[in-house]
Amino acid sequence: KTDIIVLGVLVVCVLLYTKRETIKAIIADIIGGDDSDISADSSGSRDIAQVLSQNNKNYLVLFASQTGTAEDYAKKFAKELTSKYQLNVMCVDVENYDFETLNDIPSKCMVSLFISTYGEGDFPDGAVKFEDFLSEAADSNGLANISISTFGLGNSTYEFFNGAGKKAVEHMTNAGATIVGDLGCGDDAAGTTDEDYMAWKERIFEELKEKLQLDEHDESFESSFKYEPLESITDDVSLGEPSFQYLPASKLSFNDAGIQLGPFDASHPYVAPFVKSVELFKSDDRNCIHSEIDISGSNMKYTTGDHLGIWPSNANEKVDQFLKVFGLNGKNIFNLTPKDATVKVPFPVPTTIDSAVRHYLEITGPIARQLFAQLVEFAPNEEIKKKLTVLSQDKDLFAKEITSKKFNLADALLYLSNGEYIWTSVPWEFLLENVSPLLPRYYSISSSSLSEKQTIHITSVVENSPNEHAEIGNTIGVATNLIRNIQLAQNKVDIASSNLPVTYDLSGPRDLFSGFKLPMHVRRSTFRLPTNPSTPVIMIGPGTGVAPFRGFIRDRVHMVDTQENVKFGKHMLFYGSRNTDDYLYQEEWPEYAKKLDTSFEMITCHSRIPGQKKVYVQDMLSERAADISTLINDGAFIYVCGDAGRMAKDVNSVITNIISSNKGISTEDAAEIVKMLKTSGRYQEDIW
Ligand code: FAD
């Protein structure tokens, strides 16, 4: 028996030795590859006070981010603290640390928290443990040594606007922490997050200067990374792969049968094929694409009502424009190494400049005023330096001259330099650290996980509008124009003769996307039908807001097809479009109505039919007030999806008015009832 054990051990040793390179590669991938790794810094410690002290940091910036925006602001804040006040800042994701020692950090080390609100006033998914920690600390005065300021990111259309930020501040106050400044409330609905942040930051800086006796220095950029040019493209050089696992040098991307290896999530997306793409609009001036995406073999699961995150890349024309404005050679290869252990490289490196611009940086969106302030030191001449300085300091002028013209960064700089390509003075290292990362775009899944288990449908309106001020005449949405390019190519429409505003490299890095594939991941949502089918349902979804309701109704149809004697409560769907050309899925609804019989009613209206009155879903709700009251009294669930701007707010007030007149109570009291419905999940919103 002993012989067999010894022999077994020997065989294992020989195997380990012969496979050592593969094993080393796998371990290296696991440890070093993925920036979502759960260890906190390179020492692997999750103890916040220990890592802070080991790295000689004297300021702590924490972020709790759902989609990456809070992270982006936190990093910008940390960078400014470093460059302006020469603080030694540690900026980290709360998901990667344990906080039991937070109260032990030196009292002179201040903390700032950047937190986004998700769902009904909730903390982001990755911050659940952090929330538990805060609420326990609140019971025990557990943060009495801490001084903390908080900036929240939210959307004022939601009932629980910046709910997570407010909850965090409440817990921290109860835990005895000193709250520095007011809670900053970024408002995505008003499109003012950037200016909200700037105003909050100025107030906090004033407080910090006094509390920490800080001297202000002229801002000068100092990279957080060691930058190293490389000579050749090897298997470990990223050409824009969405995660380390997809590099040829990694052993973790595909198995021997060529199947992608999961698990797939927000840090390692599945590269999935679009198997069908259909133009839904019947007019030539606008586009809306129905896409069907095959997830079979990925082990990815979704539930009706979830969101799909699509990882886009930038258009060829926009990449070329960006490279030209800054005089960059896209072919150059570089590596980045963090200068300290708490910093992470934001995307797979080594890589090429073209790959980083194309796949990892948000080069076309609106520009933050702060970026202009940072660019002052790199202005190509004195005249432009003056212009940059004035614009960066004058909120209204910036809004008029830059934001309202819908310039992207390259457009804006060309505008300042009168069309001359003279911005070579801006270092590439600066751009890759200060241009925001290109983040996934989310889509409400429009299929049913009951009837389409292996296929996800999305319904996306293509964002494209002419822009007389921009160098490349159109303001475009990154992901939706990519989806449209896929739709045309997939249906063998000649792209060159389609008069498209922009084109894309559809084959992707090392052909990873060829065959009409894109990286994607599923994000769980709380938007769910009531489990009891006899509960009445009121759905309000104009435009692409109808997407999840198509999924809901397909769920119900599937139940009719597969179950006997299923009884449904009334399902009312309020839908609005401009006219009949953009009436989404108009051939499908009558089919669903046939199956669901009287339990399904679709109420449709149009806002732009020539010669007719503009009618919106809100008007239809008022018209059907009596039915809505009856259904609410019968326990109906209400769902609103789509435009976060006006529609969701208007719907909220119409429902409030309906309840008020039905019950004979004041609108204030009715508003309280609506609030209660929201808290209890009987009034759900999926708005953007
Ligand atoms: P982006 O590149 O993100 O641009 C956004 C907008 O800004 C566009 O209108 C663009 O034209 C404009 N823009 C670009 N550059 C500038 C500039 N320099 N200055 C000013 N404006 C500029 N959308 C759907 O169509 N269907 C859905 O089902 C859907 N579901 C969603 C669900 C959730 C939970 C969320 C958060 C969003 C959802 N969206 C949906 C919206 C979607 O995520 C995208 O925001 C949308 O498709 C636009 O993405 P894009 O990459 O094409 O545009």
Side-chain angles (χ1 to χ4, degrees):
K1 193 174 171 191
T2 320
D3 287 352
I4 292 171
I5 294 171
V6 170
L7 196 66
V9 170
L10 271 176
V11 168
V12 170
C13 288
V14 169
L15 269 176
L16 281 174
Y17 183 73
T18 52
K19 296 270 175 200
R20 66 193 188 283
E21 288 312 317
T22 315
I23 292 166
K24 253 164 57 188
I26 290 175
I27 291 171
D29 272 338
I30 293 168
I31 294 173
D34 185 354
D35 87 341
S36 70
D37 58 331
I38 45 150
S39 65
D41 76 339
S42 54
S43 73
S45 172
R46 290 180 55 93
D47 179 328
I48 194 76
Q50 188 190 36
V51 176
L52 194 88
S53 120
Q54 269 169 1
N55 290 282
N56 295 320
K57 301 291 183 181
N58 56 12
Y59 199 105
L60 178 61
V61 176
L62 301 171
F63 58 84
S65 200
Q66 183 69 33
T67 59
T69 315
E71 174 175 354
D72 195 29
Y73 279 100
K75 286 182 173 167
K76 284 181 175 144
F77 184 72
K79 261 213 113 47
E80 201 173 348
L81 284 176
T82 306
S83 60
K84 221 176 210 166
Y85 303 111
Q86 319 224 304
L87 286 161
N88 205 0
V89 187
M90 170 161 144
C91 177
V92 292
D93 188 343
V94 295
E95 186 172 14
N96 294 343
Y97 286 83
D98 297 328
F99 288 90
E100 280 64 32
T101 57
L102 182 60
N103 203 37
D104 303 335
I105 67 173
S107 56
K108 283 202 86 176
C109 175
M110 306 260 272
V111 186
S112 293
L113 170 66
F114 287 75
I115 182 164
S116 57
T117 294
Y118 186 53
E120 303 300 313
D122 301 325
F123 276 47
D125 294 337
V128 174
K129 263 186 76 185
F130 181 64
E131 182 177 12
D132 290 345
F133 161 77
L134 288 182
S135 87
E136 276 166 32
D139 295 336
S140 60
N141 215 31
L143 290 176
N145 292 334
I146 295 296
S147 294
I148 188 158
S149 55
T150 307
F151 184 75
L153 294 103
N155 183 312
S156 62
T157 316
Y158 281 94
E159 184 69 39
F160 305 98
F161 175 48
N162 264 303
K166 287 175 189 161
K167 227 187 280 173
V169 171
E170 191 185 324
H171 286 325
M172 294 182 304
T173 310
N174 293 339
T178 304
I179 305 297
V180 178
D182 56 322
L183 165 69
C185 286
D187 186 2
D188 196 29
T192 54
T193 306
D194 229 68
E195 288 301 338
D196 299 330
Y197 164 70
M198 293 284 275
W200 171 85
K201 181 195 76 176
E202 294 307 330
R203 297 193 296 273
I204 294 298
F205 281 176
E206 286 309 310
E207 298 240 9
L208 294 184
K209 274 198 277 190
E210 205 183 301
K211 282 192 171 17
L212 299 175
Q213 303 290 304
L214 298 174
D215 291 330
E216 195 165 325
H217 299 257
D218 276 347
E219 265 191 84
S220 80
F221 169 68
E222 202 193 310
S223 176
S224 311
F225 304 103
K226 195 171 132 276
Y227 183 89
E228 184 195 359
L230 299 180
E231 289 296 315
S232 57
I233 294 181
T234 48
D235 280 355
D236 64 344
V237 171
S238 163
L239 296 184
E241 279 83 354
S243 65
F244 280 97
Q245 285 94 321
Y246 286 107
L247 297 184
S250 164
K251 303 284 175 285
L252 296 177
S253 52
F254 298 96
N255 68 11
D256 292 343
I259 301 204
Q260 290 171 62
L261 296 173
F264 301 103
D265 55 27
S267 62
H268 178 46
Y270 179 59
V271 179
F274 283 60
V275 286
K276 191 172 171 189
S277 307
V278 181
E279 170 64 71
L280 294 177
F281 285 174
K282 294 186 170 47
S283 60
D284 291 335
D285 53 338
R286 291 167 70 229
N287 304 90
C288 180
I289 315 290
H290 166 83
S291 311
E292 299 190 1
I293 294 147
D294 182 10
I295 55 164
S296 55
S298 70
N299 222 0
M300 267 190 339
K301 303 257 179 304
Y302 80 100
T303 304
T304 311
D306 280 344
H307 302 138
L308 186 70
I310 300 259
W311 295 44
S313 42
N314 286 305
N316 296 325
E317 295 77 1
K318 303 289 178 183
V319 172
D320 292 347
Q321 181 199 27
F322 189 91
L323 295 176
K324 197 171 161 198
V325 165
F326 295 107
L328 295 165
N329 180 353
K331 292 201 173 103
N332 286 352
I333 311 160
F334 65 95
N335 195 17
L336 298 174
T337 324
K339 283 186 184 160
D340 86 54
T342 63
V343 177
K344 285 183 173 159
V345 184
F347 45 76
V349 285
T351 188
T352 66
I353 290 183
D354 184 285
S355 309
V357 173
R358 189 177 298 278
H359 296 281
Y360 304 138
L361 299 182
E362 181 74 61
I363 58 171
T364 57
I367 311 153
R369 186 157 57 93
Q370 181 169 355
L371 187 57
F372 266 37
Q374 293 167 295
L375 279 166
V376 168
E377 65 172 304
F378 303 118
N381 60 43
E382 280 309 309
E383 191 195 336
I384 293 179
K385 190 179 225 159
K386 264 191 218 135
K387 286 189 198 170
L388 276 170
T389 309
V390 171
L391 283 164
S392 69
Q393 289 169 352
D394 188 334
K395 178 180 156 191
D396 297 330
L397 190 66
F398 186 83
K400 180 168 163 258
E401 286 295 304
I402 306 294
T403 313
S404 75
K405 294 193 170 108
K406 299 198 172 178
F407 283 144
N408 64 38
L409 181 59
D411 290 328
L413 299 191
L414 280 176
Y415 174 69
L416 294 187
S417 59
N418 299 320
E420 285 189 65
Y421 291 82
I422 52 171
W423 291 88
T424 47
S425 48
V426 183
W428 166 236
E429 292 94 312
F430 170 87
L431 292 169
L432 58 87
E433 279 186 63
N434 288 289
V435 175
S436 298
L438 185 59
L439 297 173
R441 270 51 171 181
Y442 288 94
Y443 294 90
S444 301
I445 291 176
S446 56
S447 49
S448 148
S449 55
L450 298 183
S451 55
E452 288 85 35
K453 286 193 177 55
Q454 299 298 331
T455 315
I456 290 180
H457 299 178
I458 57 167
T459 313
S460 55
V461 152
V462 181
E463 300 289 335
N464 173 28
S465 52
N467 185 342
E468 58 183 295
H469 305 290
E471 194 217 10
I472 304 171
N474 283 40
T475 305
I476 56 124
V478 178
T480 49
N481 284 279
L482 171 58
I483 290 171
R484 177 155 187 244
N485 269 248
I486 289 179
Q487 182 257 325
L488 293 175
Q490 187 156 42
N491 290 291
K492 301 195 170 40
V493 178
D494 179 25
I495 294 216
S497 61
S498 297
N499 199 18
L500 290 175
V502 282
T503 58
Y504 291 80
D505 168 17
L506 296 185
S507 55
R510 296 183 171 95
D511 277 344
L512 186 62
F513 304 162
S514 64
F516 310 115
K517 295 191 193 115
L518 284 183
M520 58 195 63
H521 70 275
V522 169
R523 186 173 77 180
R524 304 258 157 255
S525 90
T526 49
F527 210 62
R528 296 281 186 266
L529 275 170
T531 38
N532 182 352
S534 62
T535 306
V537 171
I538 302 166
M539 295 163 278
I540 302 135
T544 42
V546 81
F549 302 135
R550 177 177 181 267
F552 280 8
I553 294 298
R554 288 172 80 85
D555 258 13
R556 293 310 196 212
V557 169
H558 180 83
M559 289 170 81
V560 171
D561 287 344
T562 55
Q563 295 175 25
E564 296 213 341
N565 298 328
V566 56
K567 291 261 177 300
F568 290 117
K570 181 87 181 169
H571 284 53
M572 286 181 106
L573 170 57
F574 289 85
Y575 174 69
S577 64
R578 290 185 183 178
N579 49 50
T580 49
D581 287 346
D582 61 352
Y583 182 171
L584 295 175
Y585 301 111
Q586 50 188 290
E587 299 79 17
E588 293 185 12
W589 303 112
E591 297 300 317
Y592 303 144
K594 257 190 241 160
K595 295 258 179 166
L596 298 174
D597 202 7
T598 51
S599 60
F600 175 53
E601 186 184 0
M602 184 157 177
I603 300 99
T604 307
C605 58
H606 304 294
S607 61
R608 291 201 199 169
I609 294 197
Q612 288 186 20
K613 195 175 153 241
K614 294 180 177 197
V615 189
Y616 298 97
V617 282
Q618 300 86 302
D619 305 315
M620 299 313 292
L621 287 169
S622 301
E623 205 167 281
R624 299 295 298 269
D627 296 319
I628 288 170
S629 296
T630 311
L631 294 186
I632 292 177
N633 292 339
D634 290 349
F637 275 52
I638 303 168
Y639 299 88
V640 186
C641 181
D643 171 32
R646 268 192 54 198
M647 183 275 295
K649 277 190 182 132
D650 288 356
V651 166
N652 188 92
S653 43
V654 174
I655 299 278
T656 307
N657 290 338
I658 290 175
I659 294 176
S660 155
S661 49
N662 175 258
K663 299 210 178 297
I665 56 177
S666 68
T667 41
E668 288 75 21
D669 289 346
E672 283 306 312
I673 293 180
V674 169
K675 222 179 201 171
M676 264 168 45
L677 290 174
K678 287 186 179 178
T679 318
S680 63
R682 266 188 57 195
Y683 187 130
Q684 300 182 26
E685 290 170 310
D686 185 24
I687 50 183
W688 60 83

